[in-house]
Amino acid sequence: MKCHFLIAIAALVLMPALSGAAPASSDFSSRFKACYAAAGNDESKSACLTAELDRQDKAVAAAHQAAAQALAGPDKQKLADDFVEWKKTILLDCSLQADSQKVAIVRENTRKYCLIERSLAHRSADEVIRQDKALKR
């Protein structure tokens, strides 16, 4: 279990560094893809990103809860502690990444896109933890 837990944590750390910012990611919702494709300007894209970020935040919370329910004791507490640390880290990292943009709306869109990508990676890692625990039962 600890080996798989470490693999999932490594995926959380390495995934953002390895992933590109391609809007065609298969993990983005179809609603987002349609909205973003139809968006004519940065303000419209911002609305699409806000809605997708809200959807992904809810999905991350659900995946985290499912993973936490599969764990017990110290593993469960470690998962909770790691989640809090992850959230702080992505907020800072995505803000720093977006700081390179000079236009406010583009900077905000860059930050939202980063947060969505990181959320997708985290959700996948939580799913790995849940599945690993379910297989061992």
Side-chain angles (χ1 to χ4, degrees), residues 3 29 59 72 87 92:
C3 180
S29 71
K87 195 66 167 172
L92 177 61

Side-chain angles (χ1 to χ4, degrees), residues 5 9 77-87 122:
F5 189 71
I9 296 302
Q77 184 59 49
K78 174 108 176 85
L79 184 71
D81 294 344
D82 289 346
F83 184 79
V84 170
E85 194 59 37
W86 167 78
K87 195 66 167 172
H122 190 80

Side-chain angles (χ1 to χ4, degrees), residues 8 11-16 19-30 32-33 49 51-61 63-64 83 86-87 90 94 111-128:
L12 288 174
V13 173
L14 295 175
M15 186 68 94
S19 68
S25 173
S26 62
D27 291 325
F28 282 77
S29 71
S30 57
F32 169 76
K33 290 176 189 176
L49 287 161
E52 182 69 2
L53 183 56
D54 185 50
R55 279 190 290 276
Q56 294 301 335
D57 281 345
K58 289 175 184 172
V60 165
H64 178 74
F83 184 79
W86 167 78
K87 195 66 167 172
I90 69 161
C94 291
R111 186 185 71 78
K112 289 175 189 175
Y113 198 92
C114 174
L115 290 170
I116 294 166
E117 284 188 316
R118 303 285 179 98
S119 295
L120 291 168
H122 190 80
R123 192 175 86 201
S124 295
D126 277 349
E127 183 60 21
V128 167

Side-chain angles (χ1 to χ4, degrees), residues 2 16 31 70 72 90 95 117:
K2 288 189 181 200
R31 186 180 294 170
I90 69 161
S95 291
E117 284 188 316

